[in-house]
Amino acid sequence: MQEIAYLNDTFMPLDKASVPINDRGLLFADGIYEVIVSRQGRPFLLEEHLARLQRSAAAISLKLPISTDAISEIIQTGIKKAGFPESMIYLQITRGTEARRHNYSPDIRANLIMTFRARPEYASEKFSQGVAIISVPEIRWSRCDIKSTALLPNIMMKQKAVEQGCQEALFVSAEGSIRECTAANIFLVKNKTLYTPPANRHILNGITRSFILRQARAENLELIEKDYSFAELCRADEVFITSSTVDLMPVVKIDDITVGNGRPGPATQAVKAFFPIR
Ligand code: PDD
């Protein structure tokens, strides 16, 4: 097993990979990304991730350097080469390399970067006992649906959460609506109904979020996508967060408020069962 990188057209050991100083990803965070995990040697929900990559690229007028079919092949090869039981594939496409100037040339060629590492492990108590999160003001831009590498507000707030011993920070709008966490979507359960904020420009439409919604519909669970206030969130029976890296993690504390009875609940367990066993 080995951590590896893929840079434009070549696989190499991760610590040998570097990008040019004039890469616009480095200079301006002018790029988009995806985080994909593999299970049993195969990328999980790959088509959905590549479709979102295409949407993000179109939204910032970035021409992908190669087709998504070609990207898919590289991902499958990389997973095999790296050889981890479960890997985490980070895929970033930057606008390209050019002397620093805010606008870019029409013929600039995008750079493709990928890394293949072991999927991160989380302490099992986080899943069995749940985690705490904090609420923070929404300070991001108005296109959070684009999976952009410009993540400074997310980083500032995640760091704040971690420094307070919490797992995540939840962005709450000035009007009091819950949005999403710095790197995860949020769900709540009230009277056996599953709620999550709608997929609009205020949040990233998580691939894990969509997967859960599809499965929940297939199983005829009560499900509502709507804006929910922070006050209502605090009165929920159960809360959980979702992302490709964690699948689903129960939340039992928000700021100083205990969620439900302070333990992960039955609906959370039922949704967790949608995922293939790790
Ligand atoms: N982030 N919202 C935000 C802001 C995110 O950054 C992420 C994922 C999600 C969940 O999306 P998905 O289910 O497609 O992973 C929601 C990845 C994991 C990251 O930045 O590392």
Side-chain angles (χ1 to χ4, degrees), residues 100-117:
R100 185 179 185 279
R101 182 184 61 167
H102 286 68
N103 58 310
Y104 49 86
S105 306
D107 55 354
I108 190 167
R109 187 176 164 79
N111 286 324
L112 169 63
I113 299 160
M114 286 190 221
T115 61
F116 298 80
R117 296 158 57 206

Side-chain angles (χ1 to χ4, degrees), residues 20-178:
I21 202 160
N22 273 335
D23 183 293
R24 288 180 63 95
L26 174 65
L27 296 175
F28 295 116
D30 186 359
I32 52 173
Y33 78 107
E34 285 294 325
V35 175
I36 305 158
V37 294
S38 75
R39 311 176 110 103
Q40 274 110 39
R42 289 214 298 276
F44 186 54
L45 302 171
L46 180 59
E47 275 180 27
E48 289 86 343
H49 280 283
L50 293 178
R52 184 172 65 188
L53 182 74
Q54 281 179 314
R55 287 200 300 279
S56 297
I60 68 161
S61 307
L62 184 152
K63 191 171 173 301
L64 296 182
I66 54 174
S67 70
T68 49
D69 282 350
I71 294 175
S72 168
E73 270 178 39
I74 298 162
I75 290 175
Q76 324 235 13
T77 309
I79 291 169
K80 284 199 193 76
K81 274 185 187 288
F84 298 108
E86 291 201 333
S87 41
M88 182 175 70
I89 301 111
Y90 176 74
L91 155 59
Q92 178 173 342
I93 301 188
T94 73
R95 179 87 52 192
T97 310
E98 206 167 64
R100 185 179 185 279
R101 182 184 61 167
H102 286 68
N103 58 310
Y104 49 86
S105 306
D107 55 354
I108 190 167
R109 187 176 164 79
N111 286 324
L112 169 63
I113 299 160
M114 286 190 221
T115 61
F116 298 80
R117 296 158 57 206
R119 185 178 184 185
E121 299 260 354
Y122 296 91
S124 62
E125 305 87 73
K126 292 197 173 198
F127 297 102
S128 59
Q129 294 169 18
V131 295
I133 64 173
I134 56 169
S135 62
V136 294
E138 177 63 282
I139 56 166
R140 300 176 301 163
W141 68 330
S142 50
R143 287 304 306 272
C144 294
D145 56 315
I146 301 172
K147 201 157 172 61
S148 155
T149 53
L151 290 171
L152 200 46
N154 306 53
I155 285 159
M156 288 162 62
M157 296 309 182
K158 175 78 176 196
Q159 188 63 22
K160 187 172 168 173
V162 170
E163 284 171 6
Q164 295 183 24
C166 292
Q167 180 69 26
E168 260 291 5
L170 170 67
F171 289 111
V172 179
S173 76
E175 302 76 42
S177 295
I178 57 168

